[in-house]
Amino acid sequence: MTASTGRRRILVGVGGGIAAYKVCSVIRHFTEAGDDVHVVPTRSALNFVGAATFEALSGNPVRTEVFEDVDQVAHVKLGQEADLVVIAPATADLMARAAAGRADDLLTASLLTARCPVLFVPAMHTEMWEHPATQANIELLRQRGHRVVSPGSGLLACGMVGVAVMIIGGAVR
Ligand SMILES: Cc1cc2nc3c(=O)[nH]c(=O)nc-3n(C[C@H](O)[C@H](O)[C@H](O)COP(=O)(O)O)c2cc1C
């Protein structure tokens, strides 16, 4: 909770998937509800949506690397201070790194320091979703108490219909 305002503090982690554009409306939804939103995109995510968009939508600085703003110890505090972490889209790679306990960027480092509820919203091609490695990583994340949303089906980036498009709140496509 942001001490001075009592607003809910939400860390939105953005993975490098084509569905990254959909998280913009999710950020908007949180800020309109009065939440204090901090967006941490991965390096790959910035290929899909720029930091300026996330900064404008959230009203907060956007960082990706652990070596940015070192004096603020963001790699520890962002996770510690969050009331909720939402990872969307949760790519196969990002969930693998989270399951392995990696801390090689600001988002995965923050996941290690977060003690609040963590929600993963996966989005990927059907074969990536169905791969035993991905399913094992999801199982591990769930065993640790994280929520991993079950995907819906719909049109994928390649134009095919698949089982793993990102859904959040049942409506974001
Ligand atoms: C056009 C394009 C779309 C992609 N979409 C997805 C996707 O929807 N889901 C996914 O898991 N990976 C997707 N990828 C692959 C990821 O970008 C790649 O695995 C990357 O390493 C993920 O990085 P992250 O750990 O920062 O999310 C896509 C790659 C490209 C080039």
Side-chain angles (χ1 to χ4, degrees):
M1 198 74 69
T2 306
S4 55
T5 61
R7 295 159 73 200
R8 197 167 59 148
R9 195 175 171 112
I10 300 180
L11 172 56
V12 176
V14 187
I18 187 72
Y21 75 94
K22 298 178 183 177
V23 83
C24 295
S25 55
V26 176
I27 295 164
R28 188 69 156 191
H29 170 82
F30 286 139
T31 55
E32 283 178 358
D35 297 319
D36 181 23
V37 181
H38 294 258
V39 184
V40 181
T42 65
R43 278 160 233 142
S44 298
L46 294 175
N47 287 311
F48 295 93
V49 179
T53 299
F54 294 133
E55 290 201 357
L57 287 173
S58 68
N60 278 315
V62 167
R63 310 179 194 95
T64 291
E65 307 293 347
V66 289
F67 289 104
E68 288 173 79
D69 297 324
V70 171
D71 58 316
Q72 293 173 39
V73 208
H75 71 288
V76 175
K77 285 192 176 165
L78 275 171
Q80 278 180 337
E81 294 174 355
D83 298 306
L84 172 67
V85 178
V86 177
I87 309 290
T91 60
D93 182 67
L94 182 49
M95 289 193 290
R97 292 192 291 125
R102 298 289 300 267
D104 53 352
D105 62 11
L106 188 55
L107 180 53
T108 50
S110 300
L111 282 170
L112 292 183
T113 60
R115 294 296 177 268
C116 60
V118 178
L119 175 70
F120 288 84
V121 187
M124 68 200 68
H125 199 274
T126 308
E127 281 80 2
M128 294 179 85
W129 171 259
E130 289 177 349
H131 195 283
T134 302
Q135 289 301 312
N137 289 329
I138 289 168
E139 182 57 29
L140 196 51
L141 292 170
R142 285 181 170 149
Q143 281 173 10
R144 290 186 189 143
H146 301 317
R147 295 285 303 276
V148 183
V149 176
S150 295
S153 78
L155 200 59
L156 301 174
C158 60
M160 294 169 65
V161 172
V163 298
V165 294
M166 185 173 84
I167 54 168
I168 191 163
V172 180
R173 282 276 163 91

